[in-house]
Amino acid sequence: VLTVAEDSQNRIWAGTRHGLVRLDHGSFVTIPGFPKEAVFCTLIDHSGELWVGSRSGLTHFSDSGRSIKFTTESGLSSNTVLSLFEDEDGTLWVGTDSGLNALRDNRFTLVGGGLQTGVINALYGEPKGPLWIGTGGTGLFRLDRADFKHPHKYTVNDGLVDNSIFS
């Protein structure tokens, strides 16, 4: 199990190396139509809906039971989605194995400042504050959400014991 989330209906969702499952009446069931592939991250948004990051893109499950898949064809920088964070303004931050994306109004923007090609393993945001970005080998970044272009980078030169951040 790589990720776990509880939705607005108190259902438990688990992402595994072999797909997405949901706890129903004491047993886990696979989700019909969802690929049997690694699910790296899950997020319940402010509306209570589920977002899932996997090897084949970003999937949004609405409460109505519909799902929408976002991929590179939708503007995502890579189909391998590793991390998710939703800020208080409703922007969904999407970390991939090839950059950080911001999703607003169903449109992706690739974040620059050294983050456009990196492996984005972890995302954490402070309310009305910076976004913290853990990368796979290039350190920890602090991004002022008002200015996408100039993140501050922390590495082993600043006291980190490793430049790979996972959580």
Side-chain angles (χ1 to χ4, degrees), residues 66-82:
R66 292 183 6 173
S67 66
I68 300 169
K69 184 95 165 218
F70 297 94
T71 65
T72 54
E73 291 180 10
S74 313
L76 194 57
S77 64
S78 169
N79 287 335
T80 302
V81 177
L82 302 172

Side-chain angles (χ1 to χ4, degrees), residues 9 14 16-17 64 70-72 83 85 94 131 135 142 144:
Q9 298 174 16
T16 73
R17 292 181 304 142
S64 67
F70 297 94
T71 65
T72 54
S83 54
F85 176 76
V94 183
L131 181 67
T135 69
R142 180 182 180 270
D144 178 355

Side-chain angles (χ1 to χ4, degrees), residues 90-150:
T91 299
L92 185 67
W93 298 88
V94 183
T96 72
D97 66 348
S98 188
L100 177 63
N101 303 260
L103 177 62
R104 290 189 192 127
D105 301 320
N106 289 324
R107 184 169 176 217
F108 289 99
T109 301
L110 184 61
V111 177
L115 294 168
Q116 65 271 22
T117 58
V119 175
I120 311 299
N121 288 327
L123 296 169
Y124 174 75
E126 297 177 22
K128 299 290 184 189
L131 181 67
W132 293 92
I133 302 121
T135 69
T138 54
L140 178 67
F141 288 78
R142 180 182 180 270
L143 179 68
D144 178 355
R145 288 181 255 167
D147 178 12
F148 282 24
K149 295 182 173 80
H150 304 288

Side-chain angles (χ1 to χ4, degrees), residues 40-59:
F40 299 110
C41 55
T42 52
L43 173 94
I44 305 300
D45 68 17
H46 291 103
S47 301
E49 296 181 337
L50 175 68
W51 294 82
V52 176
S54 69
R55 284 201 192 283
S56 64
L58 175 65
T59 304

